[in-house]
Amino acid sequence: MQGIECVKHGMVEANGIKMHVAEQGEGPAVLLIHGFPQIWYSWRHQMAGLAARGYHAIAPDLRGYGDTEAPQPVASYTALHLVGDLIALLDALKLPQVFVVGHDWGAIISWYLCLFRPDRIRALVNLSVVFMPRNPVVPPVKYFRVAYGDEFYVDRFQEPGAIEEEFARLGTRLVLRKFYSRHSPDPLYIPKSGWVSPSDRVELPPWLSEQDLEYCASKFDKSGFTGPINYYRCFDLTWELIAPWTGAQVKVPTKFIVGDEDLTYYFPGVKEYIHKGGFKRDVPFLRDVVIMSGVGHFIQEEKPREITDHIYDFIKTFS
């Protein structure tokens, strides 16, 4: 199988910013959209696997991440900006339609991408984060604060600069170790009294090497955490902007995969939404839901071969 040395790197002008794009293979295009706190590199296994099976894997660093530019205004990180980046990227690469695979924030963006521009998407495989239809009454940050309190990570991310100071105190490598090593369905809290001590030793999960961590950390050292955290700070602004899509359905052929030890699977009402008809109502072309036993949040790295197989088995039916 082709390895990471076969990945081609380039910069593309898209939606007013310069985006770093990693590419591997030739054939039908598969756009891989990463989450937090990750970069294109989280898709390295799927890129190699898809390229070996005759696909063109495309994994950008999203706005604010890695080698992609990070605009300063907080309001530059709404769903409309993020989808705009990806449509402009497809235009720059001259790709009228692509398969899309998203994880975590990448899954959220993929839902919006399919909601706003289904004409550009052949089919979707989304990981970890289920479609969240717009609540016409309660904005998302208020929802999370009521459900989990002020020390839930989404709420801790809201104050500009505060969490950045905490992460700077701990250092990039320890912050990433804390996130990547987490394998629990429990809510993620970042206490104001301190999340972890700089002297603490946090073991990496078996799916990530010290070299992997160092590569990712070097990119966060360069770009910082403010851009990625601004996604969370724009939750409520996005909620305001997407009011016209209240009640809209995602009408793209879809496969959804989540681990049964992923904290997102245990958000209030998510299990019922998935298994009792709400998900299928809002995503009428939902063809398959896979619940992976014993698997946590960073699913495509924890189970790289299985996720690659799931993606391939789904998208090959459209090729």
Side-chain angles (χ1 to χ4, degrees):
M1 182 179 291
Q2 296 174 325
I4 194 169
E5 67 277 0
C6 298
V7 175
K8 299 176 183 176
H9 297 270
M11 300 298 293
V12 175
E13 294 273 356
N15 199 25
I17 63 172
K18 292 180 181 177
M19 294 189 74
H20 166 248
V21 183
E23 300 180 75
Q24 189 170 359
E26 297 180 358
V30 185
L31 179 65
L32 301 155
I33 310 177
H34 69 79
F36 175 89
Q38 296 179 297
I39 54 176
W40 76 268
Y41 191 76
S42 65
W43 297 111
R44 61 197 179 280
H45 304 296
Q46 287 71 39
M47 292 180 73
L50 291 168
R53 299 181 193 190
Y55 288 88
H56 175 196
I58 303 164
D61 284 335
L62 296 176
R63 172 180 291 236
Y65 283 87
D67 293 320
T68 291
E69 286 187 331
Q72 289 195 348
V74 174
S76 298
Y77 292 83
T78 71
L80 296 178
H81 290 86
L82 302 172
V83 170
D85 293 346
L86 296 175
I87 293 297
L89 173 62
L90 298 185
D91 289 345
L93 297 177
K94 296 180 170 55
L95 295 169
Q97 278 199 326
V98 292
F99 296 108
V100 173
V101 183
H103 170 253
D104 184 75
W105 255 105
I108 297 173
I109 298 165
S110 296
W111 292 123
Y112 286 130
L113 177 59
C114 293
L115 193 65
F116 300 159
R117 293 301 305 270
D119 57 305
R120 304 300 294 269
I121 314 304
R122 297 180 69 179
L124 169 69
V125 180
N126 250 352
L127 313 177
S128 295
V129 180
V130 75
F131 179 61
M132 294 179 286
R134 183 182 185 274
N135 184 322
V137 178
V138 181
V141 174
K142 180 178 180 180
Y143 163 82
F144 283 120
R145 185 167 282 123
V146 169
Y148 293 114
D150 291 340
E151 293 190 336
F152 186 61
Y153 75 103
V154 172
D155 300 309
R156 287 280 278 123
F157 284 177
Q158 295 305 309
E159 182 184 346
I163 202 69
E164 289 95 329
E165 290 182 11
E166 172 73 357
F167 287 177
R169 181 182 72 85
L170 298 174
T172 301
R173 283 145 189 83
L174 182 55
V175 169
L176 293 181
R177 282 178 182 273
K178 279 289 288 182
F179 279 116
Y180 295 160
S181 64
R182 196 175 192 279
H183 195 285
S184 171
D186 296 332
L188 172 58
Y189 293 102
I190 301 180
K192 295 179 181 178
S193 58
W195 190 30
V196 63
S197 168
S199 61
D200 287 353
R201 178 165 179 80
V202 179
E203 295 291 335
L204 289 177
W207 48 263
L208 196 73
S209 71
E210 292 290 343
Q211 292 77 16
D212 294 330
L213 176 70
E214 185 57 34
Y215 180 82
C216 295
S218 71
K219 297 303 181 181
F220 278 95
D221 282 342
K222 174 185 176 181
S223 61
F225 285 96
T226 296
I229 291 168
N230 282 342
Y231 288 48
Y232 296 89
R233 293 174 179 148
C234 281
F235 254 144
D236 284 359
L237 179 55
T238 289
W239 178 83
E240 293 177 16
L241 294 172
I242 65 167
W245 286 273
T246 303
Q249 296 174 310
V250 173
K251 294 185 176 180
V252 168
T254 300
K255 181 174 189 171
F256 179 72
I257 310 169
V258 65
D260 70 353
E261 294 186 12
D262 189 328
L263 77 166
T264 66
Y265 188 49
Y266 295 85
F267 284 170
V270 166
K271 280 189 178 181
E272 293 78 9
Y273 178 71
I274 291 173
H275 299 294
K276 294 188 176 179
F279 195 13
K280 180 68 173 176
R281 176 197 65 225
D282 295 332
V283 187
F285 302 147
L286 179 66
R287 297 193 181 183
D288 196 12
V289 172
V290 178
I291 313 297
M292 296 184 69
S293 177
V295 179
H297 181 66
F298 297 102
I299 189 169
Q300 79 269 34
E301 294 187 87
E302 185 178 347
K303 295 294 181 181
R305 180 183 57 79
E306 292 89 339
I307 293 300
T308 302
D309 287 347
H310 276 301
I311 296 168
Y312 173 70
D313 289 343
F314 187 63
I315 66 176
K316 72 179 181 182
T317 63
F318 302 91
S319 299

